[in-house]
Amino acid sequence: MGLTSKTVLLLAVLSAVLLFVGTVWQWPRLAGRGWRSVSARVALLLGTQLALFASVGLAANQAFGFYASWADLFGQETEQGVVVDHAGEGPLRVLDTRRVEGGGGRPEFGGQIQKVAINGRTTRIASPAFVYLPPEYFDPHERARTFPAAVVLTGYPGTAEALVDKLDYPRTARGLAEDGRMQPMILVMMRPTVAPPRDTECVDIPGGPRTESFFAKDLPAAVTAHYRVNRAPGSWGVIGDSTGGYCALKLAMHHPKVYGAGAGLSAYYKAPTDPTTGDLFHGDETLRNEADLRWFLKHRPAPDTSLLVTSSKVGESNYKDTLKFIELAKATHRTRISSIVLESGGHNFNTWRREIPPTLEWISERLSERLSGRASGG
């Protein structure tokens, strides 16, 4: 049974309840001072605590999608996603398809989600993703139409499935488009962790995975070659939460000719260095500085892109840093900055669900403005 199975969660909860009841029932019989009675009491208490801890952990994982499998949990994930040479294969392969929840069985009415494998031609990075295609993509009268695209990134160590099942990006995008609040858009949903279990922070690591290049070059090229995506410079958007939010902002700032808009939900603004990242920069001070987004705004030419940042006055640790980042971006007079600041909201899925609809509307509007501006020669 899988880590995210409801059966596993139910068994853990049932075990905790039975152990609690058993402890209460047997406690009088184990009231003696002998080593057997003491050992039995310790065993019952420890078993109850472990079962309770497992239940809470499994429930939290189901809600927030931290780990997709037992192998992922114990750091035994074998799908490395680096140095993979797929000679003869295309840059993108469709592995499976599924309908959008609540959209009916036919893609021309509800859209479609495709599970794909993306192979980076220049970086040799391979990574799975989920691609949402809106209903209009399958309309026979729209066969010549191209669509804007947005990459949607999880946090670390999130799962791409959580973007579909927990954060409801496809269903939200379809609903907003039906209401006329955003244009139909292709969403490419994936983890920023393309070299699991390492957290590469979307950095081109010297001698290691070239993650930033994968997202800036290989991914757009693979998707554009397979789907009817707008090819104009800056016609892509990128959205992410937490680590994915940092990556989204950095990609839009470093590569504005690819990503015309980037939204960081609960993002931070400087790549951390910890046991999950390892040595990202190998002594390269320029690389380290450019991974600090506030340093980048101060010392590099202001990027011609649109940025959206989110935080909460109560519950988010990035609130003060977000205000400083907004002021730095405003001072450039070139980088366009927007924000969503909630009165209260933690670093969790519930907060991001409140921010996703306005974020999708914002990114749709910004990409529309960018494309219309280019069409009119602006």
Side-chain angles (χ1 to χ4, degrees):
M1 291 180 287
L3 178 64
T4 59
S5 167
K6 291 182 179 178
T7 302
V8 172
L9 176 59
L10 181 62
L11 288 174
V13 172
L14 183 61
S15 298
V17 171
L18 290 176
L19 281 167
F20 175 76
V21 172
T23 300
V24 173
W25 186 261
Q26 294 293 327
W27 199 260
R29 299 183 182 182
L30 302 174
R33 296 184 177 179
W35 69 269
R36 291 183 179 179
S37 297
V38 173
S39 298
R41 293 199 299 270
V42 169
L44 283 173
L45 289 173
L46 182 60
T48 303
Q49 293 292 327
L50 288 174
L52 181 62
F53 177 79
S55 299
V56 172
L58 288 167
N61 191 62
Q62 288 247 4
F64 301 114
F66 295 124
Y67 300 97
S69 65
W70 296 108
D72 196 15
L73 174 64
F74 293 110
Q76 298 173 338
E77 176 66 56
T78 58
E79 190 177 1
Q80 291 296 309
V82 292
V83 195
V84 178
D85 188 3
H86 294 271
E89 291 185 359
L92 187 150
R93 291 180 297 123
V94 177
L95 306 177
D96 193 15
T97 62
R98 57 190 277 194
R99 64 182 180 86
V100 179
E101 185 178 347
R106 299 178 63 179
E108 58 266 38
F109 297 121
Q112 188 179 81
I113 299 168
Q114 297 185 351
K115 183 177 182 179
V116 303
I118 298 170
N119 302 312
R121 288 301 198 193
T122 65
T123 61
R124 301 297 185 184
I125 289 176
S127 181
F130 290 93
V131 176
Y132 163 70
L133 302 172
E136 292 81 1
Y137 191 89
F138 301 95
D139 187 338
H141 300 98
E142 302 276 5
R143 289 177 179 173
R145 178 179 180 179
T146 59
F147 295 82
V151 177
V152 184
L153 300 173
T154 68
Y156 176 85
T159 66
E161 289 88 344
L163 298 170
V164 177
D165 300 328
K166 305 296 183 182
L167 291 177
D168 295 324
Y169 269 97
R171 186 169 59 176
T172 303
R174 189 193 66 224
L176 291 172
E178 288 176 350
D179 294 340
R181 295 165 59 187
M182 67 172 284
Q183 60 181 317
M185 183 179 297
I186 294 173
L187 301 179
V188 184
M189 298 165 284
M190 58 194 304
R191 304 168 70 184
T193 314
V194 294
R198 188 176 187 182
D199 176 12
T200 59
E201 295 290 323
C202 297
V203 169
D204 277 358
I205 301 172
R210 294 167 55 214
T211 310
E212 182 171 350
S213 293
F214 172 79
F215 284 111
K217 299 176 182 178
D218 286 347
L219 175 62
V223 174
T224 301
H226 192 87
Y227 298 105
R228 302 197 312 273
V229 176
N230 290 340
R231 296 174 179 266
S235 61
W236 281 64
V238 56
I239 306 169
D241 59 74
S242 192
T243 298
Y246 163 74
C247 288
L249 296 175
K250 181 166 68 174
L251 289 168
M253 291 171 65
H254 287 190
H255 307 278
K257 292 184 178 179
V258 178
Y259 294 104
L265 312 185
S266 303
Y268 45 85
Y269 304 98
K270 181 179 180 180
T273 299
D274 57 36
T276 67
T277 65
D279 186 356
L280 294 174
F281 309 111
H282 293 269
D284 188 327
E285 197 63 26
T286 299
L287 187 60
R288 183 188 303 277
N289 286 335
E290 293 192 342
D292 183 336
L293 304 186
R294 287 172 294 185
W295 184 96
F296 192 87
L297 284 176
K298 291 179 181 178
H299 298 90
R300 292 289 185 258
D304 180 17
T305 191
S306 297
L307 304 177
L308 172 68
V309 292
T310 78
S311 188
S312 303
K313 294 180 181 177
V314 177
E316 282 280 20
S317 61
N318 77 332
Y319 177 59
K320 292 182 179 180
D321 286 340
T322 296
L323 296 182
K324 293 177 182 177
F325 184 81
I326 291 170
E327 292 304 314
L328 285 172
K330 287 167 60 179
T332 69
H333 303 293
R334 180 174 171 83
T335 300
R336 297 161 294 282
I337 186 73
S338 303
S339 66
I340 298 173
V341 178
L342 303 176
E343 290 298 320
S344 177
H347 197 82
N348 55 51
F349 279 16
N350 184 57
T351 297
W352 300 329
R353 289 190 195 100
R354 297 159 61 193
E355 297 168 343
I356 287 169
T359 297
L360 286 172
E361 290 184 59
W362 174 86
I363 209 160
S364 172
E365 183 179 355
R366 293 302 178 274
L367 295 182
S368 294
E369 291 174 353
R370 196 172 183 96
L371 289 172
S372 63
R374 291 187 181 280
S376 62

